[in-house]
Amino acid sequence: QVQLVESGGGLVQAGGSLRLSCAASGSVYTMGWFRQAPGKEREFVATIRLSDTPYYTDSVQGRFTISRDNAKNTVHLQMNSLKPDDTAVYYCAASPSYSTGYYYTSENEYRYWGQGTQVTVSS
């Protein structure tokens, strides 16, 4: 069982930046970030495979950057130009598998989940 521990959430003004981190207790192939805003379903944000081009949902493309340090089993989400609509609980997710044919964007493709970290963007 792989444990995921997130850090880095907080309160920031619109236009500001935050960096989320997630440390995995073991090796995983695919890591990603999801978020859940109040009253909404959890949605995909970004994903990255072991050594591959990352993939983002359209609403964060160009503002968010996902990266990983494989030696440390960590993944980061650099969030710039934050908007109030980015307010949500952000969850780190990981999978022991990967596909070369497509990116994992569905919750059921990830086996391990972090506890979530709150990101609040004020207007």
Side-chain angles (χ1 to χ4, degrees), residues 21-101:
S21 297
C22 173
S25 62
S27 297
V28 288
Y29 279 107
T30 304
M31 300 190 79
W33 290 93
F34 287 72
R35 66 186 180 185
Q36 187 169 21
K40 295 186 178 181
E41 294 186 351
R42 191 155 54 182
E43 64 174 1
F44 165 78
V45 176
T47 186
I48 187 168
R49 296 184 290 227
L50 200 60
S51 56
D52 201 357
T53 304
Y55 181 77
Y56 304 92
T57 191
D58 287 347
S59 62
V60 308
Q61 181 75 43
R63 300 188 298 120
F64 291 10
T65 302
I66 187 171
S67 61
R68 65 186 292 172
D69 183 337
N70 294 326
K72 297 181 179 179
N73 294 323
T74 59
V75 65
H76 306 284
L77 186 68
Q78 178 66 43
M79 304 184 294
N80 299 329
S81 302
L82 282 161
K83 305 174 182 179
D85 284 349
D86 295 318
T87 295
V89 177
Y90 283 71
Y91 295 90
C92 176
S95 171
S97 63
Y98 71 97
S99 170
T100 57

